[in-house]
Amino acid sequence: MNNQTIAHRIARREDLPEIVAIYNATVASHMVTADTEPVSLESRVHWFEEHLPSSRPLWVVEREGCIAAWLSFSSFYGRPAYHRTAELSVYVHEAFRQRGLGRYLLTQALLDAPRLEIDTLLGFIFGHNLPSLALFEAFGFSRWGELPGVAVLDGIERDLVIVGRRV
């Protein structure tokens, strides 16, 4: 990253079109998401509203007048006993990759997890997504599980790797 200071903020409803656009830009690569077609803005409204700033925030980083990256904390498995566990998702706009935004967001997520009463962070990453696996590994996440061949993308079975870290 250049010498600009990176900062994030809580996502606002008006950010949702850009958040969805960043997400949809990854669909065709079959590296990041199990969605095989772009999602609609309307289909993500409920998801957006589930991200409460006090417990499961959705953060954005702005650059050059647009959303350059986002990170979400999502509840794991939807059962009360897992309330101290969250899944992290990190997406970076193609024009802003390799500038340290993903690293910045993961750093902030680790720092903020205790305030959010989260002590376990998870990532669900395709086994062939080596850059994301390396990013999470660089932040002390370990492989906690692998679900072999659970996704089929372009006719190819893909593994899902579960990475985790206690905070």
Side-chain angles (χ1 to χ4, degrees):
M1 189 80 208
N2 58 29
N3 291 331
Q4 293 179 340
T5 301
I6 304 173
H8 66 279
R9 64 170 172 77
I10 295 293
R12 299 184 293 257
R13 177 63 177 83
E14 59 266 23
D15 298 325
L16 190 55
E18 287 183 88
I19 291 168
V20 170
I22 292 168
Y23 180 85
N24 280 339
T26 69
V27 172
S29 73
H30 300 297
M31 289 280 291
V32 182
T33 175
D35 281 311
T36 57
E37 298 290 331
V39 300
S40 69
L41 181 63
E42 296 75 29
S43 73
R44 300 305 276 177
V45 171
H46 179 71
W47 168 85
F48 178 85
E49 291 171 350
E50 289 178 330
H51 287 87
L52 304 176
S54 62
S55 59
R56 296 295 185 263
L58 172 58
W59 296 336
V60 296
V61 173
E62 292 179 287
R63 281 284 183 266
E64 300 172 18
C66 68
I67 304 299
W70 59 268
L71 177 142
S72 66
F73 289 82
S74 298
S75 293
F76 171 70
Y77 206 57
R79 304 281 193 316
Y82 298 115
H83 75 279
R84 296 188 65 88
T85 299
E87 175 189 352
L88 294 178
S89 297
V90 179
Y91 286 81
V92 179
H93 188 292
E94 186 175 25
F96 297 96
R97 292 185 186 149
Q98 302 298 314
R99 296 189 190 186
L101 299 181
R103 296 181 69 79
Y104 166 81
L105 285 167
L106 277 180
T107 297
Q108 297 308 306
L110 290 166
L111 291 171
D112 214 30
R115 180 191 67 78
L116 298 169
E117 298 182 353
I118 295 169
D119 53 32
T120 304
L121 293 170
L122 301 172
F124 294 85
I125 304 169
F126 284 133
H128 63 289
N129 187 345
L130 301 180
S132 290
L133 289 169
L135 175 65
F136 276 75
E137 183 179 312
F139 281 83
F141 286 76
S142 303
R143 285 184 183 233
W144 284 5
E146 184 174 329
L147 304 174
V150 297
V152 178
L153 299 167
D154 289 333
I156 301 168
E157 290 186 352
R158 297 296 190 172
D159 302 340
L160 183 66
V161 175
I162 303 165
V163 296
R165 177 176 166 174
R166 299 282 294 168
V167 181

